[in-house]
Amino acid sequence: MRDPEQTKKKILMAASILFNTKGYKATSISDITSLAGITKGAIYKHFKDKAELEKGCLTNMTSLVLSNLTKRIKEAKDAPTKLISILTYFEEYGNNPPFKGGCPLMNAAIEVDDTDIVLKKVVSNIMLNIQSGMTSVIKQGLERNQLKDIPNPEAYATLVYSSIEGGVMMMKVTDNDKHLLSVIQYLKDDIKSKTV
């Protein structure tokens, strides 16, 4: 007797590897069946179409990244330390990426742009949730007199998050983490200057 949940995990794992390294559009269902060692029927038993599988993989990969990041944030004692813990996570990203192929969210964002409305919406929702979470940390830090000189917490969170993602993109394109590390160091210094 086969375990349907194990089969679904196997599909998600194989598809995630391919989507994150080869690309969503360049990966065929046949590529996934070959890597997972399953039939097309097994895929369509768990996912109605490739779009649903793409969405499931992106959500699954991003959830794993965010759970690691959330754990670090929760362990931090105050807002500045929480922000620094986010930066430290991405500082280690080059040497210890959670997935082969790099940041699943960045990869999807670059690929889908305006060509895949469904996946673009998933990417947009996740990115906005991350930005919103950072905004909450900053607001809390200001309310508790842990941070200063941030007149617009939402704009500052956008600056921090978009700078990180830009550094990740440069690391991926240049095969060198020096740009990401420069961004991280700049942001760390800036957060320290805003710490009470």
Side-chain angles (χ1 to χ4, degrees):
M1 171 94 65
R2 292 187 179 153
D3 181 357
E5 200 53 42
Q6 284 302 108
T7 302
K8 186 173 182 178
K9 283 181 184 176
K10 194 174 185 180
I11 294 166
L12 283 169
M13 184 180 295
S16 293
I17 291 167
L18 290 167
F19 290 151
N20 210 47
T21 55
K22 189 175 176 179
Y24 287 84
K25 298 308 160 213
T27 299
S28 68
I29 294 295
S30 295
D31 293 332
I32 298 165
T33 59
S34 293
L35 184 60
I38 55 168
T39 64
K40 286 184 182 181
I43 290 177
Y44 291 119
K45 183 176 181 181
H46 295 280
F47 303 94
K48 73 177 182 178
D49 54 24
K50 187 179 173 201
E52 186 176 88
L53 177 56
E54 291 172 350
K55 182 178 175 182
C57 286
L58 179 58
T59 303
N60 190 50
M61 285 188 285
T62 306
S63 294
L64 290 171
V65 171
L66 292 179
S67 67
N68 292 335
L69 194 51
T70 301
K71 182 177 180 233
R72 288 180 182 223
I73 293 167
K74 285 183 178 177
E75 290 171 354
K77 62 182 170 74
D78 56 28
T81 312
K82 289 178 189 298
L83 293 173
I84 296 292
S85 72
I86 294 168
L87 296 174
T88 302
Y89 176 83
F90 285 99
E91 186 174 40
E92 297 164 0
Y93 208 86
N95 293 326
N96 190 23
F99 297 100
K100 186 178 178 185
C103 176
L105 194 57
M106 174 61 71
N107 290 343
I110 291 169
E111 184 174 347
V112 300
D113 196 13
D114 290 326
T115 61
D116 186 331
I117 303 302
V118 174
L119 206 54
K120 181 180 178 179
K121 187 171 183 176
V122 174
V123 171
S124 174
N125 286 340
I126 294 168
M127 285 186 162
L128 290 173
N129 282 335
I130 292 169
Q131 188 269 351
S132 175
M134 290 176 94
T135 301
S136 295
V137 168
I138 294 163
K139 284 180 177 176
Q140 189 177 70
L142 290 167
E143 289 165 4
R144 294 180 179 176
N145 290 321
Q146 299 166 348
L147 291 169
K148 62 181 180 179
D149 300 330
I150 305 175
N152 187 334
E154 187 175 357
Y156 190 70
T158 299
L159 173 74
V160 171
Y161 181 55
S162 59
S163 296
I164 292 168
E165 288 292 5
V168 169
M169 181 184 67
M170 288 187 75
M171 177 180 67
K172 184 170 172 68
V173 170
T174 64
D175 292 321
N176 188 321
D177 67 356
K178 73 177 185 176
H179 303 290
L180 174 62
L181 295 179
S182 294
V183 166
I184 297 294
Q185 190 55 57
Y186 177 85
L187 292 172
K188 279 185 174 182
D189 291 343
D190 194 59
I191 289 165
K192 285 175 187 170
S193 76
K194 296 176 180 344
T195 299
V196 176

